[in-house]
Amino acid sequence: MSARARPVSRQKVGARAVASAELYALTHRGNSGDLEFYSELCGGARGVLELGSGSGRVLEVLAGARRRVVGLELDPGFLALARRNLRAWSPAKRRSVRLVAGDIRDFELKERFERVLLPYNALYCLLTKSAALSCFRAVQRALAPGGLFAFDVWNATPFARSETGEPDDDDEPVVTFRHAARTWDVFEHSRVQRARQRLDVSYDYRPREGGPARRISIPQRYYLAPEIDDLLERAGFTVLARYGDFSGARFTARAPQQIVIARAR
């Protein structure tokens, strides 16, 4: 492994970083059908790499005694949370998973994988085309011959075509949950820069019982289907399928999601 991808050490991570990762994971729990989709796609694969593996939500359904699964994640808080979550899994699942600290924009691992996954809008965290292209080229290097690359993002076409300047911020919480003996109301705020295809989202976490609020900001750069196709082509991929949701519906301009499966040429 290069210096950009290394096994997760046992070094102490700040409590605030782990707390932020916990709040994020409780807010963002995936899309309906995504776990089933990725589990089926990886059926029969002996080696799977997940990029931006976060708290381990997808890793858990992929892990198994006859498979090696690697989760690559940059954020120390998420790595610590995933390591803690792994302790609750069965011994067979724990043994099959390895967590690696690395940057999805530029990573290199010694082994090759039959599947590489980039789930749940992680592509949009790459804020430039050059960063996305670098990621795709790293994926190409990580794939075994005949391997597949799959990812999903929310479909940005309707948003890009809309004429409104800013999305409406919600006066009501987008989600409410119990965590750490508190009830948290979560409010979403967005900032748009259409010329740069930026949609930066912030989440404010306010405990009903009082005490300090928290904010998590997620800078995003959304990509349209033609841009994604161009980047994949330049990275040496052929698109095999594109779906509009995790049921396998045909992708259209109005589809809620864009789910892509590609193979390295």
Side-chain angles (χ1 to χ4, degrees):
M1 287 175 290
S2 75
R4 295 186 296 270
R6 60 189 186 280
V8 176
S9 68
R10 297 287 176 175
Q11 65 184 13
K12 186 175 180 180
V13 178
R16 187 174 182 84
V18 178
S20 293
E22 290 172 336
L23 291 174
Y24 179 94
L26 288 166
T27 307
H28 302 276
R29 305 186 189 210
N31 293 306
S32 176
D34 63 350
L35 296 180
E36 295 83 356
F37 177 88
Y38 285 118
S39 179
E40 182 177 349
L41 182 70
C42 294
R46 300 297 298 272
V48 180
L49 169 64
E50 183 193 358
L51 304 179
S53 53
S55 64
R57 182 183 69 92
V58 178
L59 293 177
E60 184 176 7
V61 302
L62 299 177
R66 300 179 63 84
R67 175 182 289 162
R68 59 187 172 86
V69 182
V70 173
L72 187 141
E73 173 61 52
L74 183 63
D75 184 88
F78 274 120
L79 287 168
L81 177 58
R83 190 169 59 236
R84 189 184 73 189
N85 289 342
L86 257 66
R87 292 198 289 268
W89 300 359
S90 69
K93 282 182 175 285
R94 288 199 303 270
R95 285 194 295 268
S96 76
V97 172
R98 188 172 88 252
L99 298 175
V100 173
D103 191 330
I104 68 173
R105 294 172 296 184
D106 189 12
F107 64 92
E108 190 166 348
L109 301 166
K110 287 183 178 179
E111 64 261 59
R112 296 295 176 261
F113 303 87
E114 295 164 81
R115 302 288 185 270
V116 177
L117 311 179
L118 183 64
Y120 200 48
N121 305 312
L123 173 62
Y124 286 178
C125 294
L126 303 177
L127 303 182
T128 65
K129 285 186 177 182
S130 62
L133 180 59
S134 178
C135 172
F136 287 176
R137 285 174 171 162
V139 170
Q140 218 254 19
R141 295 192 298 269
L143 278 169
L148 300 179
F149 174 37
F151 58 91
D152 67 274
V153 291
W154 56 270
N155 178 24
T157 303
F159 179 78
R161 290 178 176 177
S162 66
E163 297 180 356
T164 55
E166 297 278 345
D168 293 332
D169 290 333
D170 293 311
D171 294 327
E172 298 296 323
V174 294
V175 67
T176 298
F177 52 76
R178 289 283 297 175
H179 173 63
R182 292 183 177 184
T183 300
W184 297 85
D185 290 323
V186 187
F187 297 85
E188 182 180 280
H189 308 281
S190 302
R191 180 172 180 266
V192 179
Q193 301 176 64
R194 289 183 182 275
R196 300 174 61 196
Q197 294 183 205
R198 288 288 296 267
L199 177 62
D200 298 338
V201 183
S202 295
Y203 295 90
D204 289 331
Y205 295 82
R206 303 174 189 170
R208 291 184 180 179
E209 295 81 2
R214 294 179 182 267
R215 168 168 281 201
I216 297 175
S217 297
I218 307 174
Q220 297 181 72
R221 195 274 194 200
Y222 55 87
Y223 293 86
L224 304 178
E227 294 178 296
I228 289 174
D229 286 350
D230 176 65
L231 290 166
L232 287 170
E233 170 72 22
R234 292 168 61 189
F237 285 96
T238 298
V239 174
L240 301 181
R242 176 179 278 110
Y243 303 115
D245 62 30
F246 285 103
S247 73
R250 184 172 64 91
F251 176 76
T252 69
R254 295 184 177 275
Q257 290 155 330
Q258 182 179 179
I259 302 157
V260 177
I261 301 174
R263 175 176 286 137
R265 294 196 300 274

